[in-house]
């Protein structure tokens, strides 16, 4: 089993060393977009891909890019260029390319607005194989003569629709004019608007078109399944999953994760929280897999945490709950997964956790299944208590129906002379509640993730975990301030990872930024003298 599990990637034509890197990351098989785009790009063709975040599109272009440009060799010019709309994405994509490219020792450099030019110039001078850039900063560097793109063999336009939406059309044209004619180009976009078609016609050569395959599943044939989704920030996911499991109280559940590593980690965390959970993935021996499955079938384990590969072809009659710990990479995968519940006329439940940025994927699934997946708020502590009390109520009703109460009447008789009978009954109910195992009393509510508010752009939608404080800065929309400027300034001046920066709200004359409370003083201090485009930020802690 172990030796063959990454045949999926190898059969796409990928180099063994790259397949090895994917193995280390715990990827078991290619996603739909990877299966389509990788062979086409490896064969040297241009590709026009329609795919949103969460489909695995980064690997779909990064792996072929790495293979086509080859191993790192000293003193070679930049050979791969990836253009992305935001600083966030630049860092994310650069990190992914770095991880996938480890066996080739590929040097990757992200360049983006907001960070000091000097720093990025120095890094550029040290040399890079691949540059991941936002269009504004890339053009700035080209104009300064600091970014030589004459050796670029492989160009990626990632989230091209976003780049156009953000007004980067002119920058894109100018950058593309600075690239060699003979090169390979991949363009990825979540939508295929006419503007994207025009861009494609101008800059791609006879591209292979790839979309997430949507064959096979016919709408309307789905079993009876209650579908629900929760939007939660990554740091809150495990707590949200635990809360949902407590409320749903599944008889048997499969929780799907993307990678083997995630499966192992999540199963461990669930066990640590007292759930009967076991991992199932392609890295286990056949014997281990059989044992886990047997225990699951015999209801000795309630929760199976699994990858798609491991769960495929399982002959498990029925599970009461399917949980997507991440949004599945394609509607097909979603339909396939949730098909494991709601069998044999019984109602099943399909729960999907999504991060705010993955909502487009959810809508894509809804579009495909022609069913709405309602977004609900994660159950509160209050809900949990209500559920417990409901359970106590049913057990009291069951005891009444069972009878055999005679020998307890004496207790009631003796106490009733002194106490109110209602109080007596309530005390008995309290005892019944306390003898049930379950939620500890120190549970806290899980913060909701803000839903996008269209009218208040520009806003950066992002939530962070833990205690959050807000920083006020005296610049806003009137000063042409953009979220990326603030993220850049904070990351640069206060060395805060952009992942730790929460929502950014830009109003006309001021802006608010969410940061971890523990760091707020330090960040304010670091920003005190910072300027953006010649204007002082005037940062202070927002007291409201
Ligand atoms: P992307 O759509 O590129 O943002 O990728 C979404 C997530 O899926 C990232 O966390 C990747 O690490 C992960 N991922 C990409 N391809 C695979 C794969 N074949 N198997 C498992 N996870 C993957």
């Amino acid at each position: 089993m172990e030796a063959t599990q990454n045949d999926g990637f190898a059969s796409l034509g990928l180099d063994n060393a790259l397949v090895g890197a994917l193995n280390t990351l715990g990827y078991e098989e290619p996603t739909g977009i990877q299966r389509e785009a990788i062979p086409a790009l490896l064969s040297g063709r241009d590709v026009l891909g329609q795919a949103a975040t969460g489909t695995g599109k980064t690997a779909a272009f990064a792996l072929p890019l790495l293979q086509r440009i080859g191993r790192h060799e000293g003193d070679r010019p930049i050979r791969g260029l990836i253009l992305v709309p935001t600083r966030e994405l630049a860092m994310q994509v650069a990190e992914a390319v770095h991880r996938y490219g480890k066996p080739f020792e590929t040097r990757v450099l992200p360049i983006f607005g907001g960070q000091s030019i000097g720093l990025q110039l120095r890094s550029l001078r040290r040399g890079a194989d691949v540059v991941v850039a936002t269009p504004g900063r890339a053009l700035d560097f080209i104009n300064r003569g600091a970014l030589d793109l004459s050796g670029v063999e492989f160009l990626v336009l990632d989230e091209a629709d976003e780049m156009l939406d953000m007004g980067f059309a002119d920058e894109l044209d100018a950058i593309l004019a600075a690239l060699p004619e003979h090169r390979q180009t991949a363009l990825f976009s979540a939508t295929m608007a006419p503007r994207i078609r025009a861009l494609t016609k101008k800059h791609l050569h006879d591209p292979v078109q790839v979309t997430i395959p949507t064959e096979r599943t016919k709408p309307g044939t789905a079993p009876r399944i209650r579908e629900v989704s929760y939007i939660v920030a990554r740091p809150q996911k495990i707590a949200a999953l635990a809360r949902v499991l407590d409320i749903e109280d599944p008889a048997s559940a499969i929780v799907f994760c993307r990678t083997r590593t995630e499966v192992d980690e999540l199963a461990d965390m669930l066990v640590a929280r007292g759930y009967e959970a076991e991992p199932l993935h392609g890295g286990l021996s056949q014997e281990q897999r059989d044992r886990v499955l047997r225990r699951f079938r015999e209801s000795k384990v309630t929760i199976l945490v699994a990858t798609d590969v491991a769960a495929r072809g399982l002959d498990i009659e029925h599970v009461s709950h399917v949980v997507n710990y991440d949004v599945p990479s394609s509607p097909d995968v979603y339909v396939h997964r949730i098909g494991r519940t709601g069998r044999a006329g019984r109602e099943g439940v399909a729960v999907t956790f999504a991060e705010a940025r993955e909502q487009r994927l959810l809508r894509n699934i809804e579009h495909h299944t022609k069913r709405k997946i309602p977004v609900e708020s994660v159950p509160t502590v209050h809900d949990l208590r209500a559920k417990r009390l409901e359970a106590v109520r049913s057990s009291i009703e069951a005891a009444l129906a069972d009878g055999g109460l005679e020998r307890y009447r004496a207790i009631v008789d003796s106490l009733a002379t002194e106490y109110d009978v209602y109080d007596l009954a309530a005390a008995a109910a309290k005892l019944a509640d306390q003898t049930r195992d379950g939620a500890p009393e120190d549970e806290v509510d899980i913060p909701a993730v803000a839903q996008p508010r269209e009218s208040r752009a520009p806003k950066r939608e992002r939530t962070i975990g833990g205690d959050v404080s807000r920083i006020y800065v005296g610049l806003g929309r009137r000063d042409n301030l953009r979220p990326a400027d603030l993220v850049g300034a904070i990351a640069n001046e206060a060395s805060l990872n952009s992942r730790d920066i929460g929502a950014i709200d830009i109003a006309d004359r001021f802006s608010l930024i969410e940061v971890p409370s523990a760091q707020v003083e330090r960040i304010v201090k670091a920003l005190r003298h910072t300027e953006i485009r010649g204007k002082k930020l005037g940062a202070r802690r927002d007291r409201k």
Side-chain angles (χ1 to χ4, degrees):
M1 178 79 202
E2 200 133 8
T4 59
Q5 64 206 346
N6 260 330
D7 271 7
F9 281 106
S11 69
L12 301 179
L14 283 173
D15 189 284
N16 279 340
L18 294 177
V19 175
L22 299 176
N23 212 18
T24 313
L25 292 171
Y27 291 11
E28 298 207 315
E29 59 166 1
T31 66
I33 198 78
Q34 290 164 1
R35 213 169 284 132
E36 303 237 330
I38 292 174
L41 287 170
L42 286 178
S43 77
R45 297 280 304 267
D46 282 1
V47 160
L48 170 62
Q50 185 170 7
T53 294
T55 53
K57 73 174 158 61
T58 312
F61 62 71
L63 293 165
L65 178 148
L66 288 162
Q67 186 157 331
R68 296 282 295 172
I69 67 169
R71 291 176 176 276
H72 168 76
E73 281 171 31
D75 286 344
R76 280 217 267 176
I78 296 161
R79 276 165 299 149
L81 175 67
I82 303 171
L83 294 173
V84 298
T86 61
R87 173 205 149 96
E88 263 281 284
L89 197 61
M91 298 205 301
Q92 212 172 296
V93 169
E95 197 191 310
V97 173
H98 170 73
R99 273 188 294 151
Y100 302 141
K102 270 201 183 136
F104 286 179
E105 293 171 14
T106 308
R107 292 222 243 154
V108 193
L109 182 68
I111 60 178
F112 42 76
Q115 199 184 43
S116 116
I117 297 243
L119 195 84
Q120 293 179 357
L121 277 175
R122 279 197 295 283
S123 312
L124 255 183
R125 265 186 233 119
R126 282 198 293 272
D129 302 306
V130 181
V131 163
V132 185
T134 51
R137 183 56 66 101
L139 189 59
D140 190 357
F141 276 21
I142 292 172
N143 292 338
R144 287 165 185 254
L147 185 61
D148 176 12
L149 298 177
S150 61
V152 168
E153 300 161 11
F154 201 115
L155 167 72
V156 180
L157 301 167
D158 189 18
E159 305 206 348
D161 47 351
E162 290 280 328
M163 287 200 277
L164 293 181
D165 282 350
M166 291 175 73
F168 282 135
D170 291 345
E171 279 90 343
L172 287 181
D173 277 343
I175 297 168
L176 282 148
L179 292 173
E181 278 275 332
H182 286 289
R183 54 144 211 273
Q184 200 177 345
T185 307
L187 183 152
F188 284 83
S189 171
T191 59
M192 282 298 148
R195 288 187 309 158
I196 296 292
R197 299 248 168 239
L199 194 68
T200 305
K201 213 162 150 205
K202 209 152 129 200
H203 299 296
L204 273 65
H205 175 70
D206 185 24
V208 178
Q209 284 208 34
V210 302
T211 42
I212 306 169
T214 53
E215 77 280 12
R216 288 200 304 277
T217 36
K218 289 182 222 71
T221 55
R224 264 165 52 83
I225 298 170
R226 170 162 64 86
E227 288 165 275
V228 51
S229 62
Y230 299 102
I231 313 292
V232 278
R234 181 147 277 277
Q236 260 88 47
K237 255 185 170 176
I238 173 78
L241 170 64
R243 180 65 51 77
V244 169
L245 289 172
D246 288 342
I247 286 279
E248 293 281 343
D249 197 12
S252 57
I254 303 185
V255 180
F256 285 98
C257 294
R258 281 187 174 131
T259 65
R260 254 183 264 161
T261 328
E262 281 172 352
V263 163
D264 279 333
E265 283 172 5
L266 186 59
D268 277 351
M269 287 194 286
L270 286 174
V271 170
R273 283 168 181 253
Y275 299 91
E276 294 162 329
E278 287 201 12
L280 184 74
H281 57 63
L284 303 178
S285 69
Q286 191 59 45
E287 200 181 316
Q288 288 169 313
R289 289 159 53 93
D290 289 346
R291 199 182 55 228
V292 173
L293 283 177
R294 192 171 348 105
R295 290 166 54 75
F296 188 62
R297 238 177 254 127
E298 291 168 357
S299 305
K300 290 190 180 124
V301 174
T302 335
I303 303 165
L304 211 55
V305 186
T307 56
D308 287 299
V309 170
R312 192 161 301 149
L314 290 188
D315 69 345
I316 292 169
E317 283 268 293
H318 173 78
V319 295
S320 66
H321 290 67
V322 167
V323 178
N324 298 301
Y325 195 58
D326 298 286
V327 185
S329 63
S330 80
D332 269 354
V333 174
Y334 178 84
V335 171
H336 193 259
R337 284 183 184 177
I338 73 167
R340 305 206 152 269
T341 185
R343 291 196 177 166
R346 281 181 280 185
E347 194 200 52
V349 182
V351 176
T352 303
F353 288 96
E355 287 172 54
R357 65 188 182 92
E358 292 172 330
Q359 292 186 64
R360 195 197 281 271
L361 272 188
L362 266 184
R363 284 199 292 274
N364 193 14
I365 291 170
E366 289 180 333
H367 181 74
H368 179 69
T369 59
K370 311 249 185 304
R371 286 192 306 271
K372 196 107 192 90
I373 307 174
V375 177
E376 291 183 7
S377 359
V378 176
T380 59
V381 175
H382 180 80
D383 295 335
L384 199 59
R385 298 220 170 100
K387 158 110 187 172
R388 275 174 70 94
L389 292 183
E390 185 51 40
V392 172
R393 206 180 82 100
S394 332
S395 59
I396 292 177
E397 276 186 339
L400 284 168
D402 269 1
L405 300 175
E406 289 311 317
R407 58 202 188 101
Y408 299 99
R409 278 190 195 283
I411 303 179
V412 179
D413 284 342
S414 71
L415 289 171
T417 55
E418 254 182 277
Y419 300 97
D420 177 71
V421 179
Y422 267 110
D423 285 344
L424 264 180
K430 182 178 170 189
L431 284 178
D433 185 24
Q434 285 170 349
T435 52
R436 296 173 59 81
D437 47 42
E441 286 302 310
D442 58 356
E443 288 265 0
V444 290
D445 276 335
I446 295 159
V449 168
Q451 297 293 313
R453 279 175 291 167
E454 306 285 339
S455 56
R456 297 192 58 194
K459 185 173 160 73
R460 176 178 184 265
E461 292 292 340
R462 188 150 167 41
T463 47
I464 46 177
D467 233 14
V468 169
S469 296
R470 293 198 301 181
I471 292 178
Y472 166 99
V473 301
L475 301 184
R477 203 172 304 144
R478 289 188 163 206
D479 310 289
N480 294 323
L481 191 70
R482 299 200 302 185
D485 298 326
L486 290 170
V487 177
I490 295 172
N492 210 28
E493 301 298 330
S495 315
L496 191 73
N497 192 314
S498 83
R499 254 171 270 156
D500 291 326
I501 302 172
I504 293 179
D505 212 346
I506 297 191
D508 260 3
R509 292 161 194 275
F510 66 92
S511 308
L512 295 168
I513 312 143
E514 283 181 1
V515 297
S517 296
Q519 310 227 37
V520 65
E521 296 300 346
R522 190 177 70 77
I523 298 169
V524 166
K525 207 165 150 210
L527 290 184
R528 197 151 288 154
H529 303 294
T530 305
E531 296 183 352
I532 289 183
R533 287 194 266 289
K535 291 183 185 167
K536 269 217 155 48
L537 271 182
R540 60 177 163 78
R541 189 176 185 150
D542 184 43
R543 300 282 169 196
K544 273 169 282 163

